Amino acid sequence: MAESFEGGRPRSSGRLPVRYSDLTSTDLDTFHSSASTVLGHHAFAGNQPDDFAISGNSGQSPRVLMLGLGLGGSIRSILAANPAARITALDFSTETTALCAALHANYFPNVHFETIVANAREFAEHVEGAFDAICVDLYDDLGYPEFVLLAEFWADVASFIAPVSGFVMANAWGLPTHLGWSENSEAQFAVAGAMQSALGPIRALPHRRNVTVFSGDVAFPMSRRVAPIESLHSRIDMLQIRLLRLRAVLARQVEGLEQPRVVSETARTKVHLNTLMNELWHPALQRLFSAAAVGGITPASVFELVANPSSVAAAVHRARGDLQLFLPNVASNWIHQYGGLPLWYRDATEATYEDQIQRDLGMFVLGWLTQYVALLIKCPIGLEYTQDLAGWTDLADEVLTAVEGKVIA
């Protein structure tokens, strides 16, 4: 299929090449904090930071700058996509940076990256030279810092991007796409608008309550190396790499960013964004229930909807636009709420994927298929057999192959 991941990255500074086994650890199950999630059995985490792996396609041995580090949830994802990537990560917290470094030293000792402790607003004072990609993930438990919403900050980012291959990505947390983030969330819209003012047209990748907005072009293939298929978990990671390159190509341009909006201090806080989500959730849910009506009977709850395959099929067939992302979000949250994979989602995938590909290929990949693969990654250790994770993975492979046949051909 492609040359082996084991070819690794060039020997430099006396370091051995990064292998897929360097990106996983049998001694770590899950390490989670408000900053990020790190899984030991996967190079990916099944959430938004996985999208930053797309930056690994910005060069043969790309220089990647991360503004905002957390626990480093994106570092191994980027290296899984391209083990030759050279990563510099900047974070304002000495404590978080030290924890990230210790976590990787203990469980992933052959994964190397440079860290800088500094305020991201002044990052230009702490780095030198051009970067092939810059990944921005700057919000905390309170919300967004004001400077992330300003064009001046993104102009600084643009000045450090390499010509031609330059690629910038940002995590815009807040409202999910099916609740209309670009229409209803002033903060997320302002981040994308400020980016566009400095970097040009912006495209978006939905992922639950996150939206990855980015500027730059991604060429095939996204990864020049692949993980060896030695285990079910490495096979799933390879599926994620295949999916990410499809997401990058099918991402949709964000419209209307030319009209700036004034963002109040309150509007960029997590409290406000959570309140806004609660206000918008019920009306959207009612639209989903209406789409799922069968025989004149409208589901009265999510449980009632997903318990009836005919209602699920009706919702899949009738939902249009961003509403198509609602059921995938329900499925993704299922594993967090109930600790297992949602069988109804697998059944619906098998029954409807051909129709969904035919009707709206982009939305199917960006929503339905993205959350399906995320579920495989997030399946808790110990449930592989009771949940038939191998069967879920076989179906994902089948669907990805069908999509690749249309997109890559």
Side-chain angles (χ1 to χ4, degrees), residues 311-323:
S311 292
V312 175
V316 170
H317 182 72
R318 295 174 185 156
R320 292 294 183 270
D322 293 344
L323 191 63

Side-chain angles (χ1 to χ4, degrees), residues 179 277-289 326:
L179 297 186
M277 179 158 172
N278 289 335
E279 292 173 356
L280 295 170
W281 185 268
H282 183 72
L285 191 61
Q286 295 308 307
R287 293 195 299 274
L288 180 67
F289 288 163
F326 205 132

Side-chain angles (χ1 to χ4, degrees), residues 37-53:
T37 297
V38 175
L39 302 180
H41 54 297
H42 284 291
F44 295 95
N47 53 27
Q48 181 281 330
D50 290 352
D51 281 340
F52 286 161

Side-chain angles (χ1 to χ4, degrees), residues 390-405:
W392 279 75
T393 304
D394 288 342
L395 179 58
D397 197 351
E398 175 185 323
V399 176
L400 271 166
T401 300
V403 173
E404 288 168 337

Side-chain angles (χ1 to χ4, degrees), residues 149-272:
L149 284 60
L150 302 178
E152 292 81 2
F153 169 72
W154 294 102
D156 286 345
V157 170
S159 70
F160 278 85
I161 280 293
V164 183
S165 64
F167 195 78
V168 178
M169 311 188 79
N171 177 14
W173 178 90
L175 291 182
T177 299
H178 68 271
L179 297 186
W181 71 268
S182 61
E183 297 85 12
N184 299 313
S185 172
E186 296 174 2
Q188 289 166 282
F189 183 91
V191 169
M195 282 183 67
Q196 178 166 286
S197 69
L199 296 160
I202 298 297
R203 289 182 286 166
L205 296 167
H207 207 308
R208 299 184 67 202
R209 285 193 67 175
N210 301 76
V211 180
T212 304
V213 287
F214 70 94
S215 172
D217 294 320
V218 179
F220 282 105
M222 194 196 101
S223 177
R224 297 169 184 80
R225 300 169 178 85
V226 297
I229 310 302
E230 296 176 346
S231 69
L232 181 58
H233 293 136
S234 64
R235 183 184 174 202
I236 292 169
D237 279 348
M238 186 59 231
L239 294 178
Q240 178 73 324
I241 290 175
R242 291 167 59 190
L243 172 65
L244 285 170
R245 62 183 179 180
L246 294 172
R247 279 174 62 79
V249 170
L250 295 170
R252 301 183 174 186
Q253 186 167 328
V254 184
E255 304 294 340
L257 295 176
E258 299 79 9
Q259 304 299 322
R261 300 180 190 174
V262 177
V263 183
S264 66
E265 184 174 350
T266 299
R268 56 187 172 87
T269 65
K270 275 196 170 183
V271 171
H272 172 80

